[in-house]
């Protein structure tokens, strides 16, 4: 439940509950009627058909018959299986604008931490970004990184304690290959400059050489064994590779404003896996299959989950289980999200099932927050086949946006332009990633995502800047405006949408879907645009029209749109420049 209180929605809910004799906490779904002429808020009656043993249209009629105006709700009408309510416009407008003004940057956020029964704050651990070291962050990493970042922000807005967890891929046989490659290559290679590129080139060359020289594989394995045994030389080199990689990742994170509460690699779990294996074995859940240690999952209709290979090496799943145990010990999470591509669905299903079988206290609290692939010209982008670096993508986006701004706004200082170009360039890339349901694939299309028109970041950021400029240039006093002067349907639609923001945030959090917030940003921009466009037909409908009182009321509404847009963009991890 949100601790944000909307008295109008509350009045509608209690009218429905009262009319139908439902318990005080019965769920009442609120939506928008298909056509604004029908009313302001629509409530479907289907959910009550079964308990009330009655047809939804009859239930709707009963609600209408029992309705009495009050609490800012003026009218109820039945439309088939729905009841449409109409709100008292001036009371509602006053409430919406006052609330947004009072809450400011916190509008859309709950006003108190979300507590669980033991009085502690509800906690979510969000595993995101989690790249493998000794490689660059590639363009496709934007997905996990920015979906996870948005989910941290959304959860915090909803009162959760959110722990962003970067589970670095820093362990496994590939790291043996790197060590072997390093010792063969020029050991004086300077890693201080562009070290990750050098590491990656070495690695790629080594893999290539492995194809013709099978002995290299044994060499790599031997190096990994040394690393596992804590050999000082292997350890020191590996630590250096890790530090060089992390420093490089940090640069990209800093550009995007992404931070983590914990950065913890797979290597950290080396000595934390044995207790997991013992715990599972003690319950008779493990078996030897072809020399490997596995947990049978045939009852769950899945292939067995591998815990240990024949040679004793532990596996990705074992590390994930050990890490979940650690995360629960550390933070007692109520929810744990793993923002990882759809390609790993089976992996997550398998180890979640093992956790369940193992009777761990946190079973059932984990969710694989899966996302689709990024495609360029219809082809999947990944780090194997010639990765496109995220750094380069961000550079190019901000350069191109900078050129557009220079044209649109020639008086902006070069310094300011540089800053805004970065904010909007990143906005273009990030919004393209967040604006659709995460499970869908994203088609990367430069021209489309950089455009100032359409479903893009630059469009939304531009709308925000435009409103800021309208309000600024008008230079009128907004406080104490007479809101009863807001009488057009366009204005009313904007106000309704403003009030819907907190519920959208809540929905985005529940479903772990930032796209609910991104879609809201687009809707609000479009609603504002069509309201604003009226002014070009008829000067009396201009936001900053000639009549001072009306202009002040409209500017107050526009200002509330600006604040709400800014808050919504912020939840997505995007800046809202005041000028573009
Ligand atoms: N490092 C892995 C990869 O690049 C992703 C790790 C995701 N997180 C996890 N807990 N398994 O594919």
């Amino acid at each position: 439940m949100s601790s944000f209180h909307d008295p109008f929605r509350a009045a509608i809910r209690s009218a429905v509950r009262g009319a139908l004799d439902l318990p005080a906490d019965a769920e009442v779904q609120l939506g928008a009627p298909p056509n604004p002429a029908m009313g302001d808020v629509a409530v479907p009656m289907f959910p009550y058909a079964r308990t009330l043993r009655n047809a939804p249209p009859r239930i709707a009629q009963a609600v209408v018959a029992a309705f009495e105006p009050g609490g800012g709700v003026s009218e109820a009408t039945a439309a088939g299986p729905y009841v449409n309510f109409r709100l008292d416009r001036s009371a509602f407008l006053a409430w919406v604008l006052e609330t947004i003004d009072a809450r400011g940057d916190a509008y859309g956020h709950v006003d108190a931490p979300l507590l669980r029964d033991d009085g502690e704050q509800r906690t979510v651990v969000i595993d995101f970004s989690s790249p493998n070291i000794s490689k660059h962050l590639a363009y496709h990493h934007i997905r996990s990184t920015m979906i996870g970042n948005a989910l941290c922000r959304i959860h915090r807005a909803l009162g959760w304690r959110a722990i962003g967890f970067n589970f670095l891929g820093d362990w496994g046989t590939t790291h043996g290959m790197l060590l072997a490659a390093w010792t063969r290559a020029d050991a004086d290679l300077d890693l201080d400059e562009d070290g990750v590129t050098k590491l990656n080139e070495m690695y790629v060359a080594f893999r290539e050489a492995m194809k013709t020289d099978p002995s290299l594989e044994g060499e790599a394995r031997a190096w990994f064994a040394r690393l596992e045994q804590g050999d000082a030389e292997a350890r020191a080199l590996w630590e250096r590779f890790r530090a060089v990689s992390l420093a490089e990742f940090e640069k990209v994170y800093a550009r995007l404003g992404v931070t983590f509460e914990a950065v913890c690699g797979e290597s950290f779990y080396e000595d934390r896996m044995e207790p997991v294996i013992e715990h599972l074995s003690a319950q008779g859940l493990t078996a030897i299959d072809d020399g490997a240690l596995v947990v049978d999952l045939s009852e769950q209709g899945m292939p067995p989950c591998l815990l240990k290979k024949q040679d004793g090496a532990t596996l990705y799943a074992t590390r994930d289980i050990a890490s979940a145990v650690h995360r629960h010990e550390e933070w007692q999470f109520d929810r744990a999200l793993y923002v990882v591509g759809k390609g790993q669905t089976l992996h997550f299903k398998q180890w979640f099932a093992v956790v369940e079988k193992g009777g761990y206290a946190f079973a059932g609290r984990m969710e694989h927050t899966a996302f689709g692939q990024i495609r360029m010209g219809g082809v999947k982008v990944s780090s194997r086949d010639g990765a496109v670096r995220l750094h380069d993508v961000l550079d190019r986006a901000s350069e191109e946006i900078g050129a557009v701004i220079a044209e649109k706004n020639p008086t902006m200082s070069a310094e300011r332009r540089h800053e805004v170009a970065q904010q909007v360039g990143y906005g273009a890339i990030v919004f393209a990633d967040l604006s659709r349901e995460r499970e869908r694939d994203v088609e990367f299309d430069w021209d489309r995502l950089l455009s100032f028109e359409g479903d893009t970041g630059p469009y939304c950021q531009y709308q925000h800047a435009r409103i800021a400029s309208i309000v600024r240039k008008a230079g009128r006093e907004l406080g104490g405006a007479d809101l009863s002067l807001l009488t057009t349907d366009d204005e009313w639609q904007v106000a309704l949408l403003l009030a819907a923001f907190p519920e959208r945030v809540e929905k985005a959090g529940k479903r772990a879907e930032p796209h609910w917030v991104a879609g809201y940003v687009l809707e609000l921009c479009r609603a504002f645009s069509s309201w604003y466009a009226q002014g070009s037909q008829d000067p009396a409908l201009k936001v900053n029209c000639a009549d001072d009182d009306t202009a002040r009321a409209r500017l107050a509404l526009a200002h509330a749109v600006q604040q709400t847009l800014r808050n919504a963009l912020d939840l997505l991890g995007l800046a809202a420049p005041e000028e573009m």
Side-chain angles (χ1 to χ4, degrees):
M1 261 312 241
S2 142
S3 63
F4 175 80
H5 186 70
D6 175 339
F8 298 85
R9 283 167 193 260
I12 291 174
R13 292 196 159 104
S14 74
V16 172
R17 289 178 190 131
L20 302 178
D21 239 345
L22 300 170
D25 61 350
E27 199 183 314
V28 177
Q29 291 172 30
L30 307 183
N35 167 359
M38 296 169 76
D40 302 319
V41 178
V43 182
M45 296 294 125
F46 312 105
Y48 318 114
R50 194 183 314 182
T51 21
L52 300 179
R53 298 167 182 277
N54 204 344
R58 308 274 304 265
I59 304 175
Q61 279 156 14
V63 171
V64 170
F67 177 76
E68 278 173 38
V73 187
S74 53
E75 193 187 302
T77 47
Y82 289 87
V83 179
N84 294 322
F85 291 90
R86 220 177 270 286
L87 305 177
D88 172 344
R89 288 197 177 190
S90 62
F92 184 76
L93 279 160
W95 172 77
V96 176
L97 296 197
E98 255 169 48
T99 303
I100 296 174
D101 193 47
R103 305 278 296 149
D105 289 347
Y107 179 59
H109 297 222
V110 298
D111 47 23
L114 189 63
L115 303 181
R116 52 186 186 216
D117 294 344
D118 64 3
E120 294 292 327
Q121 190 175 9
R122 261 182 208 281
T123 299
V124 59
V125 177
I126 305 182
D127 183 311
F128 73 102
S129 200
S130 303
N132 298 330
I133 65 164
S134 301
K135 275 186 197 173
H136 279 285
L137 279 185
Y139 173 54
H140 70 271
H141 285 113
I142 193 87
R143 297 227 73 190
S144 175
T145 306
M146 296 317 283
I147 294 171
N149 182 55
L151 290 175
C152 284
R153 289 166 170 272
I154 289 168
H155 275 87
R156 284 182 197 123
L158 293 170
W160 293 69
R161 172 170 71 142
I163 308 294
F165 194 106
N166 193 352
F167 188 56
L168 293 181
D170 63 357
W171 208 243
T173 42
T174 50
H175 301 283
M177 290 183 209
L178 263 161
L179 293 173
W182 175 267
T183 42
R184 301 191 134 245
D186 177 5
D188 289 333
L189 219 57
D190 175 15
L191 289 182
D192 290 339
E193 207 177 300
D194 211 7
V196 176
T197 305
K198 290 171 187 159
L199 287 174
N200 193 238
E201 277 167 8
M202 240 170 46
Y203 172 75
V204 171
F206 188 83
R207 282 203 81 116
E208 222 13 69
M210 250 168 61
K211 286 185 190 154
T212 48
D213 182 353
S215 76
L216 291 182
E217 201 175 333
E219 222 171 277
R221 203 166 315 122
W223 269 105
F224 187 59
R226 283 175 68 178
L227 189 58
E228 281 185 303
Q229 286 146 19
D231 170 271
E233 188 190 352
R235 192 86 198 169
L237 272 175
W238 169 83
E239 265 164 19
R240 188 150 164 236
F241 299 165
R242 191 181 190 276
V244 164
S245 308
L246 201 51
E248 190 65 30
F249 298 162
E250 289 293 349
K251 281 191 214 157
V252 182
Y253 296 145
R255 290 181 86 167
L256 293 167
V258 170
T259 54
F260 299 91
E261 279 56 46
V263 178
C264 196
E266 292 184 36
S267 60
F268 180 76
Y269 297 98
E270 265 306 270
D271 54 7
R272 292 177 177 249
M273 284 182 281
E274 217 33 59
V276 167
I277 291 173
E278 275 164 26
H279 175 87
L280 297 171
S281 303
Q283 298 175 74
L285 294 171
T286 54
I288 303 291
D289 181 359
D290 226 356
L293 189 71
V294 304
V295 175
D296 178 73
L297 295 174
S298 50
E299 259 173 47
Q300 285 73 19
M302 286 187 273
C305 181
L306 256 74
L307 298 177
K308 232 181 203 181
K309 284 200 260 191
Q310 196 163 10
D311 61 6
T314 50
L315 288 143
Y316 186 39
T318 331
R319 289 192 277 275
D320 251 327
I321 299 171
S323 183
V325 170
H326 164 231
R327 295 173 204 201
H328 187 252
E329 273 168 14
E330 196 70 28
W331 298 292
Q332 298 82 45
F333 59 77
D334 300 278
R335 187 181 199 190
L337 301 180
Y338 291 83
V339 187
V340 184
K342 266 198 296 199
Q344 296 191 24
T345 299
L346 180 60
H347 163 73
F348 283 99
K349 276 196 176 154
Q350 285 179 304
W351 77 260
F352 289 175
V354 173
V355 165
E356 191 126 339
K357 281 189 147 199
Y360 283 103
F362 52 85
R365 297 188 199 166
M366 284 114 38
E367 296 164 47
H368 175 203
T369 307
F371 54 81
Q373 292 168 352
I374 293 202
R375 293 165 177 280
M376 278 187 182
V379 184
K380 176 190 166 191
V381 182
S382 88
S383 42
R384 294 257 154 93
D385 37 61
V388 180
R389 282 195 218 171
L390 190 44
H391 251 315
D392 299 341
V393 172
L394 295 177
D395 281 346
R396 179 164 163 202
S398 43
E399 266 163 41
E400 297 207 7
I401 294 287
V404 178
I405 296 176
E407 213 172 282
K408 278 192 185 257
N409 191 350
T411 58
M412 189 187 266
S413 74
E415 199 184 327
R416 181 89 190 102
R417 182 172 69 230
H418 178 74
E419 188 188 341
V420 174
Q422 302 230 329
Q423 295 175 331
V424 180
Y426 305 166
I429 302 296
V430 172
F431 201 83
D433 173 34
L434 299 181
S435 59
R436 52 186 64 239
E437 289 150 295
R438 57 181 157 72
E439 299 227 15
R440 289 178 41 190
D441 291 348
V442 176
E443 184 62 50
F444 186 89
D445 177 343
W446 273 115
D447 296 337
R448 225 190 108 205
L449 66 86
L450 290 174
S451 164
F452 279 58
E453 270 144 55
D455 300 352
T456 69
Y459 165 73
C460 298
Q461 287 169 309
Y462 181 68
Q463 292 301 321
H464 173 273
R466 182 160 78 141
I467 303 171
S469 138
I470 294 165
V471 174
R472 198 169 50 231
K473 286 190 184 138
R476 296 192 206 243
E477 173 59 48
L478 304 187
D482 177 2
L483 302 176
S484 69
L485 297 168
L486 296 173
T487 53
T488 72
D489 285 341
D490 285 306
E491 289 156 355
W492 180 241
Q493 289 311 313
V494 169
L496 282 175
L497 205 47
L498 287 176
F501 180 50
E503 290 205 347
R504 291 297 176 91
V505 180
E506 201 177 351
K507 194 162 170 183
K510 244 184 219 151
R511 304 190 182 179
E513 271 286 14
H515 118 93
W516 278 103
V517 174
Y520 176 80
V521 169
L522 280 168
E523 256 181 80
L524 187 55
C525 286
R526 289 202 196 101
F528 175 80
S529 266
S530 57
W531 169 39
Y532 186 77
Q534 298 298 314
S536 57
Q537 319 275 316
D538 177 354
L541 292 176
K542 270 193 183 332
V543 170
N544 188 27
C545 60
D547 179 64
D548 185 57
D549 288 335
T550 308
R552 282 175 53 207
R554 289 182 184 160
L555 287 162
L557 180 62
H559 185 64
V561 173
Q562 188 205 333
Q563 177 73 64
T564 306
L565 271 180
R566 188 186 149 86
N567 296 3
L569 288 168
D570 181 66
L571 290 180
L572 301 176
L574 296 183
E578 301 262 321
E579 194 194 354
M580 267 171 74

